[in-house]
Amino acid sequence: MATRSMKLPRHPKPRTGARPAPAQGQPSPDTRARILNTAFQLFHEQGYHATGIATILREAGVHPGSMYHFFPSKDALLVGVLEHALELLRPAVMDPAERRTGDPIGRVFELLEQYREGMHAWGCKMGCPIGNLALEVADDNAVARNLVHRNFENWSLAVQKWLDEAGGRLPRGTDRAQLSRFVLTVMEGGIMQARAAGNLAPFDDSVAQLRAYFDALEKLAKSEQERRKARK
Amino acid sequence: MATRSMKLPRHPKPRTGARPAPAQGQPSPDTRARILNTAFQLFHEQGYHATGIATILREAGVHPGSMYHFFPSKDALLVGVLEHALELLRPAVMDPAERRTGDPIGRVFELLEQYREGMHAWGCKMGCPIGNLALEVADDNAVARNLVHRNFENWSLAVQKWLDEAGGRLPRGTDRAQLSRFVLTVMEGGIMQARAAGNLAPFDDSVAQLRAYFDALEKLAKSEQERRKARK
DNA sequence: CCTCCTCTTGAGCGATCAGTCAACTCATAT
DNA sequence: ATATGAGTTGACTGATCGCTCAAGAGGAGG
């Protein structure tokens, strides 16, 4: 039973003000990407709930209907942003850290140094875009929560790969997956405290402790190896 | 030049619906506390921006004018909540951990265990109320940011006191202030990942790594002491 | 009794919120 | 040439946002 005649024109006025026709209706192929980039940036700067759709639209130069064509809701936009972040993670975060040094354990701390530089550049504001969303939306959007989780997983998986490459420099039996997650823990916890403090000291302190932990692990691995050598 | 006659009655109607006079106008001395408790809980459950004033008022059974009598703005309410949290921290968090064990280093891990139990009870939701606010409001409310910072400081200061009590069990020259902040780092980072994962594994992993670090430190301190003893 | 003063009441404000929709453009397919 | 459908336009909606304020309640001090 189709409800015909339900829809009647809501804009019966033909067009009162003549307008210079600013390139109407032509699809710009990067609209979706522009929305995604703008939303990602604004969510990072202001948080999810504090960012209104109107702001995203203004900054991206997009009209509401256009955005809702690609993302049927604000939550869907959030999901899109997190998927976008998932794709961005390797080229924008892990690859630069790898380019800094070939030393596998060195890469872990270059990665942290990268975040430090980001924090410094923004005056200890904003922090980690994924971490922020983790705490803000994890409870009420299951899909988004899972995507945050996958972002974290990919992050620590990349770190784990470096740890695996470090081979004998870590003690035998080291749970490298657990250790890689621990690196993420230290990064996020350090950034949180640095934001609250308004300076990088808590972050630097956290990294220093992690460094001490790694030094202890490497030392332990060394003495392990020497003991093995001596037994021969 | 006083603008007299500016104000005219906005509610000229005397009272249309007779109502059973539910104790009107009488000041209940705990109104402020009720607002604070309700707001603290709602900010914890939903976040700051996601919580509307109307919800706080409804849950606390308070009228807007009453709330704005004590807190002139939502931001001021946030500041009040964070001051409230500052007072709550010792009796509600640190004291219970101290009651669990007398062992100073054991207390550190009992504290973490407490947070673990909280997370478990809430199904890995909500997380740390202060940590959540740290990431959500640190950038745009300087007073709130500083109060978050002071909450963190008090937390790690209490941990530091325990570490100081541990005395010789930690290596000489250990930066106990830095180490205490590192414990907070691990707690917050672990909780963040547990929320994203929807289970406690990442938190447990983080604590396990911290435990390994402490074990290494204690072992180092022991060998230090034995070396000193042998030199005698 | 009256005057303060703190606190409460609750309708109401303008602004903004996320979201809607009929009309439109235009490249492509037929 | 016509039809199709993806993408765009922008005025619009109802709900909710944080917040206001004149009026009143009731205790304290005179």
Side-chain angles (χ1 to χ4, degrees):
Chain A
M1 198 182 288
T3 55
R4 291 198 303 120
S5 80
M6 262 191 70
K7 306 177 179 181
L8 37 143
R10 287 165 77 193
H11 313 286
K13 301 169 190 173
R15 179 70 63 94
T16 58
R19 97 177 33 207
Q24 288 180 330
Q26 59 194 10
S28 62
D30 56 327
T31 301
R32 208 188 112 101
R34 225 166 51 246
I35 294 169
L36 245 23
N37 285 321
T38 308
F40 180 72
Q41 187 186 330
L42 286 169
F43 289 168
H44 188 193
E45 287 173 9
Q46 317 182 350
Y48 176 71
H49 288 105
T51 303
I53 300 260
T55 310
I56 299 171
L57 298 173
R58 193 186 335 111
E59 301 271 308
V62 165
H63 300 271
S66 234
M67 199 211 81
Y68 280 95
H69 173 72
F70 295 106
F71 307 100
S73 70
K74 197 190 180 185
D75 266 33
L77 174 59
L78 171 64
V79 166
V81 162
L82 286 167
E83 283 166 348
H84 184 230
L86 209 49
E87 288 166 9
L88 234 57
L89 197 133
R90 188 157 289 274
V93 179
M94 308 324 275
D95 287 352
E98 292 199 345
R99 254 177 259 124
R100 287 177 174 221
T101 176
D103 179 62
I105 290 183
R107 280 172 170 171
V108 172
F109 289 92
E110 286 298 338
L111 179 62
L112 295 173
E113 170 63 18
Q114 243 176 220
Y115 279 90
R116 198 202 120 97
E117 285 164 11
M119 283 291 280
H120 182 73
W122 292 106
C124 285
K125 291 183 191 295
M126 294 168 56
C128 166
I130 308 299
N132 298 351
L133 291 174
L135 297 202
E136 199 178 353
V137 307
D139 288 355
D140 28 66
N141 184 331
V143 181
R145 198 218 74 224
N146 193 46
L147 276 163
V148 168
H149 177 52
R150 284 172 59 196
N151 269 278
F152 282 164
E153 261 188 344
N154 279 16
W155 197 97
S156 48
L157 231 52
V159 171
Q160 190 189 338
K161 227 182 95 188
W162 296 338
L163 298 181
D164 289 342
E165 287 170 20
R169 287 169 61 186
L170 294 173
R172 283 180 189 270
T174 298
D175 188 337
R176 299 196 204 91
Q178 193 182 73
L179 184 55
S180 72
R181 270 174 250 130
F182 189 62
V183 175
L184 177 54
T185 291
V186 173
M187 191 274 274
E188 294 289 359
I191 281 188
M192 181 188 290
Q193 284 177 77
R195 284 235 276 164
N199 65 69
L200 284 165
F203 182 82
D204 291 339
D205 284 355
S206 296
V207 173
Q209 289 291 319
L210 184 68
R211 176 106 258 174
Y213 183 37
F214 266 85
D215 287 348
L217 288 176
E218 291 197 64
K219 203 172 170 182
L220 186 61
K222 215 173 203 169
S223 73
E224 254 183 15
Q225 277 185 336
E226 277 166 14
R227 221 174 304 136
R228 248 195 312 280
K229 214 180 291 175
R231 206 176 305 151
K232 267 193 263 185
Chain B
M1 197 182 286
T3 57
R4 290 197 305 118
S5 80
M6 262 192 69
K7 307 176 178 183
L8 37 141
R10 287 165 76 190
H11 312 287
K13 301 169 189 172
R15 178 70 65 93
T16 58
R19 99 177 29 207
Q24 288 180 331
Q26 60 194 12
S28 63
D30 57 326
T31 301
R32 208 188 111 101
R34 223 166 53 246
I35 295 170
L36 244 23
N37 284 323
T38 308
F40 180 73
Q41 187 186 328
L42 286 169
F43 289 168
H44 187 192
E45 286 173 10
Q46 318 181 344
Y48 176 70
H49 288 105
T51 302
I53 299 262
T55 309
I56 299 172
L57 297 174
R58 193 187 334 112
E59 301 271 308
V62 165
H63 300 270
S66 235
M67 200 211 79
Y68 280 94
H69 172 73
F70 294 106
F71 307 101
S73 71
K74 196 189 179 185
D75 266 33
L77 174 60
L78 171 64
V79 166
V81 163
L82 286 168
E83 282 166 350
H84 183 230
L86 209 49
E87 289 166 8
L88 234 56
L89 198 134
R90 186 158 291 273
V93 180
M94 309 322 276
D95 287 351
E98 292 199 344
R99 253 177 260 126
R100 288 177 173 219
T101 177
D103 180 61
I105 290 183
R107 280 173 170 171
V108 172
F109 289 92
E110 286 297 339
L111 179 62
L112 295 173
E113 171 61 19
Q114 242 175 220
Y115 278 90
R116 199 202 120 97
E117 286 165 12
M119 283 291 279
H120 181 73
W122 293 107
C124 286
K125 293 184 188 294
M126 296 168 54
C128 166
I130 308 299
N132 297 351
L133 291 174
L135 298 202
E136 199 178 352
V137 306
D139 287 358
D140 29 65
N141 184 332
V143 180
R145 199 217 74 226
N146 193 47
L147 276 162
V148 169
H149 176 52
R150 283 172 59 195
N151 269 278
F152 282 164
E153 261 187 344
N154 280 15
W155 197 98
S156 47
L157 232 51
V159 171
Q160 189 189 338
K161 228 183 94 189
W162 296 337
L163 298 182
D164 288 343
E165 286 171 20
R169 286 169 61 186
L170 295 173
R172 284 181 188 267
T174 298
D175 187 337
R176 298 196 205 91
Q178 194 182 73
L179 184 55
S180 73
R181 270 174 250 129
F182 189 62
V183 175
L184 177 54
T185 291
V186 174
M187 191 274 276
E188 294 289 0
I191 281 188
M192 181 187 290
Q193 283 177 77
R195 283 234 276 164
N199 66 69
L200 284 166
F203 182 82
D204 291 339
D205 284 354
S206 296
V207 173
Q209 290 292 317
L210 185 68
R211 176 105 258 175
Y213 183 37
F214 267 84
D215 286 348
L217 288 176
E218 291 197 64
K219 201 173 173 183
L220 187 61
K222 215 172 202 172
S223 74
E224 254 184 15
Q225 277 185 336
E226 276 166 14
R227 220 174 305 136
R228 248 196 312 282
K229 214 180 291 174
R231 205 177 306 150
K232 268 194 264 184

